[in-house]
Amino acid sequence: MHCHQDLVSFLGCGLILAGVWHLVYHKKSQSSYGRYMAQSPPARTVPARLAWFLQEMPAFIIPLLLILTTHKSTIMGKYMLLGTFCVHYFQRTFVYSLLMRGKPFPLSVMVAAGLFCSLNGFLQGHYLLHCAQFDDEWFTGYCFKIGLLLFYIGMTINIHSDFILHNLRKPKEVIYKIPTGGLFEYVSGANYLGEIVEWFGYAVATWSFPALSFALFTLCFIGPRAYYHHRFYLEKFKDYPKFRKALVPFIF
């Protein structure tokens, strides 16, 4: 398969525009799932664990299939970068989904998320395997090393924060509690901060427009959710730590 540069550019621009649209459209309210689901839930919902598994799986399977069906390049760093992308979605698909205790997802949300993961999985995989031009020196350079370091720092923050949230409630409990420990001591959206750091690190490591567009989409999509979580905690808990910020420690 040769590089479809026009398609790559189209999908990358689409991610940025979709992120900006979401940022503007959900300026006053968040997507209707989880704690923000309407009092009268939609008629068609999917159990949270199953929904998360199905919607995240394409972002793992599609790049993996591209790797298996592509003529092997002599530049192994490409596979390392795409493998990094797959590591994240392996964890989200096969580990995180099994630990979820959330409310059922609206079917429409699951389908939209699955479509996004499919397109993004193809975009990142196709670009790295067929379009990206790296020389051997790139994989010993600062951008590659710093980017991967940021990615795995962000992933560690994300997984640790999810672990804290998972252990806040006992099985079948539906009450909300104040998260503590880790970066939750500084921000309300520690799990979101970790994921944002991940994808900006990935963008630095690949130094590519598709990865940057995904990082910007992630910031626009889950950044506001961190803000609304923060506002939710402040309104619900009178003793919520006043110094704690929404997403960026000490700043926002």
Side-chain angles (χ1 to χ4, degrees):
M1 184 185 292
H2 66 279
C3 172
H4 296 280
Q5 188 60 54
D6 290 342
L7 179 60
V8 167
S9 298
F10 175 79
L11 291 175
C13 290
L15 284 185
I16 295 175
L17 291 175
V20 172
W21 174 85
H22 184 275
L23 190 64
V24 173
Y25 185 78
H26 293 283
K27 188 175 181 180
K28 295 184 179 180
S29 63
Q30 278 297 288
S31 300
S32 183
Y33 66 92
R35 70 186 67 183
Y36 304 107
M37 189 177 290
Q39 294 297 322
S40 54
R44 297 182 178 180
T45 60
V46 182
R49 290 181 178 180
L50 177 61
W52 197 270
F53 176 83
L54 293 176
Q55 73 183 34
E56 301 289 303
M57 184 169 57
F60 172 73
I61 293 295
I62 291 175
L64 185 61
L65 289 176
L66 289 174
I67 291 174
L68 295 175
T69 57
T70 297
H71 177 71
K72 294 298 183 289
S73 169
T74 57
I75 302 177
M76 296 307 296
K78 289 185 175 184
Y79 298 98
M80 183 185 298
L81 286 170
L82 191 53
T84 298
F85 180 88
C86 291
V87 164
H88 170 90
Y89 279 102
F90 177 88
Q91 194 276 333
R92 302 301 278 178
T93 303
F94 297 102
V95 180
Y96 179 75
S97 64
L98 297 178
L99 300 176
M100 290 194 72
R101 294 176 180 171
K103 298 177 182 178
F105 273 42
L107 178 62
S108 59
V109 171
M110 186 199 78
V111 171
L115 177 60
F116 170 82
C117 285
S118 299
L119 291 174
N120 189 48
F122 170 80
L123 172 62
Q124 306 303 329
H126 177 77
Y127 173 81
L128 281 176
L129 294 176
H130 301 289
C131 303
Q133 299 294 325
F134 297 114
D135 55 35
D136 292 334
E137 293 180 358
W138 175 259
F139 302 103
T140 59
Y142 288 111
C143 283
F144 179 75
K145 294 177 180 178
I146 292 172
L148 284 187
L149 178 63
L150 285 173
F151 178 89
Y152 284 108
I153 288 174
M155 187 174 183
T156 301
I157 293 170
N158 181 245
I159 293 174
H160 180 246
S161 300
D162 283 337
F163 176 78
I164 291 173
L165 292 174
H166 174 74
N167 288 290
L168 269 182
R169 293 182 289 187
K170 298 177 181 178
K172 298 184 179 181
E173 270 191 335
V174 293
I175 60 173
Y176 287 99
K177 300 178 181 179
I178 299 175
T180 58
L183 278 180
F184 280 115
E185 297 297 327
Y186 303 96
V187 294
S188 299
N191 50 333
Y192 298 135
L193 173 61
E195 188 159 355
I196 290 168
V197 170
E198 268 189 85
W199 295 124
F200 274 97
Y202 185 72
V204 172
T206 62
W207 207 253
S208 68
F209 176 64
L212 177 61
S213 65
F214 179 37
L216 291 172
F217 175 87
T218 302
L219 176 63
C220 292
F221 192 85
I222 63 179
R225 203 160 182 88
Y227 167 75
Y228 278 96
H229 276 23
H230 183 66
R231 193 172 73 174
F232 170 85
Y233 287 130
L234 288 173
E235 292 173 352
K236 188 172 183 65
F237 300 104
K238 300 300 182 184
D239 58 341
Y240 195 72
K242 301 301 181 185
F243 63 85
R244 192 177 295 186
K245 300 297 182 180
L247 184 64
V248 183
F250 313 113
I251 298 175
F252 172 76

